[in-house]
Amino acid sequence: MNNSDNKTLEQRFKLPIILVSVLIPVAVALLFTVKLKDFGIEVEPLSFLPPIYAAINGLTALLLVMGVIAIKNGNQKVHERFMTTAIACSVIFLIMYIAYHMTTDSTVFGDIDGNKILDATEKANAGAARDVYLFVLLTHIALSIAIIPLVLITYVRALAARFDKHKKIAKITFPLWLYVAVTGVVVYLMISPYYAN
């Protein structure tokens, strides 16, 4: 593949990357508010999913680190496999996350009695931990939206063998993606005591 073919490959993916980067967050936001029971579809809540998708976030973080180690050791094929698997894990996470929220009511941090309302006593009991949780959650969500185009652009530049540009954007993509993966686990660990309620 010559340089002009590589540029053409990047250009061909430009519109799909923009569309996916906009459609995924919009679809997730819309689907987050939709419950299957609202449409008369009775399904058991998929309450078993959060520890699974938290583990997938953990696996994604591990794959990202292993991918960086592989490329630093000059093993491009192994790097490519790790990164492709990390993308697949992120897609699996997204599917499970949507399925969970379409079948299960959201959990409120600090909601000890499980009534989905945080009263003054529960809020006081949660204290600063709730502020930390909300900060981690909000940065996790914001960066999970931001990394969609970054991951896709980084991946396409590698496919197009434009490794100089790939390396430049990967220096931004990697730490942000790693943060999203790790904070996905942290968010789960912080909210999990309230799932049973």
Side-chain angles (χ1 to χ4, degrees):
M1 199 182 286
N2 65 38
N3 197 36
S4 65
D5 290 339
N6 293 343
K7 283 183 182 174
T8 303
L9 181 66
E10 268 192 90
Q11 290 168 348
R12 263 199 350 240
F13 279 99
K14 189 175 183 178
L15 181 60
I17 287 171
I18 292 168
L19 290 174
V20 168
S21 299
V22 170
L23 290 176
I24 287 177
V26 169
V28 170
L30 291 174
L31 292 173
F32 196 84
T33 63
V34 171
K35 299 287 185 254
L36 293 177
K37 65 184 176 188
D38 297 340
F39 297 97
I41 302 170
E42 293 300 322
V43 293
E44 284 295 313
L46 301 176
S47 54
F48 62 90
L49 285 179
I52 297 171
Y53 62 66
I56 289 172
N57 268 324
L59 177 60
T60 301
L62 183 62
L63 289 165
L64 292 172
V65 171
M66 290 167 54
V68 168
I69 291 169
I71 201 64
K72 286 190 182 292
N73 289 330
N75 199 332
Q76 186 177 336
K77 280 291 176 199
V78 173
H79 169 76
E80 184 181 324
R81 286 186 197 119
F82 281 136
M83 294 308 179
T84 302
T85 307
I87 291 171
C89 285
S90 293
V91 171
I92 292 166
F93 163 83
L94 183 61
I95 292 165
M96 288 184 173
Y97 182 80
I98 291 169
Y100 171 77
H101 283 287
M102 287 183 73
T103 62
T104 312
D105 291 330
S106 293
T107 302
V108 178
F109 188 91
D111 181 22
I112 296 168
D113 61 14
N115 67 353
K116 309 297 178 202
I117 298 168
L118 194 66
D119 63 36
T121 304
E122 290 171 325
K123 192 170 185 177
N125 285 338
R130 179 171 167 75
D131 296 332
V132 171
Y133 170 78
L134 291 174
F135 173 80
V136 173
L137 177 64
L138 293 175
T139 57
H140 170 81
I141 292 169
L143 290 175
S144 70
I145 294 167
I147 65 162
I148 296 169
L150 290 173
V151 168
L152 295 174
I153 292 166
T154 305
Y155 194 72
V156 168
R157 285 182 177 173
L159 287 178
R162 302 204 55 191
F163 298 116
D164 55 332
K165 288 184 151 204
H166 168 79
K167 188 176 179 179
K168 251 185 203 174
I169 196 168
K171 288 180 178 182
I172 299 165
T173 304
F174 169 72
L176 296 179
W177 194 1
L178 184 62
Y179 179 85
V180 169
V182 170
T183 56
V185 178
V186 172
V187 165
Y188 166 73
L189 293 174
M190 291 185 79
I191 194 79
S192 62
Y194 304 103
Y195 276 132
N197 297 326

